[in-house]
Amino acid sequence: MGALGARRYWLIWAAVVPIAIWALVRSFGLEESGRLVPLLAFTPYAAVAALLVAGVATALRNWAAAAVAALATFCLALAVLPRAIGDGTVDAAGRETLTLLSANIKRGKADPTQVVALVERERPDLLMVQELTPGYVGKLDAAGLGRLLSQRVIAVFPGRRPKMPGLGIYASRPLRALGPHDNNALGAALRMPSGRSVRLVNVHPHTPKPGHIGEWRQSLEALPSAGRGAPWLLVGDFNATLDQAELRAVVDRGYRDAGDVAGMGLIPTWPEGETLPPLVTIDHVLADRRLGIVEYSVAQQPGSDHRAIGAVLALP
């Protein structure tokens, strides 16, 4: 092996080591550092990089590096690929169903007529809106949302930070305000035609960036656990992906991610219409495990940096 070949042989470790560390952190939920938390959202891209690095190491015949990279690829693929495969959707025949949409409107910049058009097309029982502003409430009304979804629970300026955008829950069925009720979450109870109730939380915690990691974690930890009483639905912009341990901890408290179950969990929802950072999936429908996942969808939302998401759920 010449000098150049020897250099390439050893330099591959500069790529293998970060990939191996990434796989270790993701596999065991070790992202205690504030800097690691945002990075973990890009794990699907790290999985692809790991596969490429394993191929290069193999081509260089650095078998040790190839083995480590292959193991990292396996661990990352085990974490990521199930979201593209899905498992557990149900047939809604004979069961009461609930159809919902969720839309982050980018502080009122999304086109309200397009939001209402989406509602008109999908005919949901429920619409969750994040980053709602007072002016946008009026724009939705002017576009005809009240004609389609006449019930609402709105917190435009919740909590102690009036500059934060608000949250709204619109429905075609009776709604009753329910905790939590702050900048990060808005709760309500929805009464179904059968008389049964479904408890809802419109979720929008702070972005997990330096200085706000603790607040983001606390917001996710404060979300209710499912499995007892009326079923829970946690819906909205979680500012988190399933590659971050904090969101997986919420799921483990009695929920399933509708996109994950439907095999569409890797379809990105943010940032729509931008090139950097890479697209990630931070909008979710977390359904009480007692609810059946019938369908899941992702839709364009002109004017917003988020795609809208939707789901059809079957009551137990």
Side-chain angles (χ1 to χ4, degrees), residues 208-224:
K209 57 186 178 182
H212 295 282
I213 300 293
E215 180 184 353
W216 171 77
R217 283 178 170 147
Q218 290 171 8
S219 297
L220 294 179
E221 290 169 358
L223 293 171

Side-chain angles (χ1 to χ4, degrees), residues 90-142:
V90 302
D91 186 343
R95 299 176 66 174
E96 188 173 28
T97 60
L98 171 63
T99 302
L100 65 88
L101 289 173
S102 176
N104 182 316
I105 59 170
K106 195 181 181 182
R107 294 179 178 260
K109 293 181 181 179
D111 185 338
T113 61
Q114 291 299 316
V115 172
V116 173
L118 179 62
V119 172
E120 194 155 30
R121 183 170 69 249
E122 300 297 329
R123 292 290 175 177
D125 305 297
L126 184 68
L127 170 67
M128 306 285 215
V129 181
Q130 300 90 46
E131 299 198 11
L132 189 62
T133 64
Y136 203 82
V137 173
K139 290 178 181 179
L140 288 174
D141 287 338

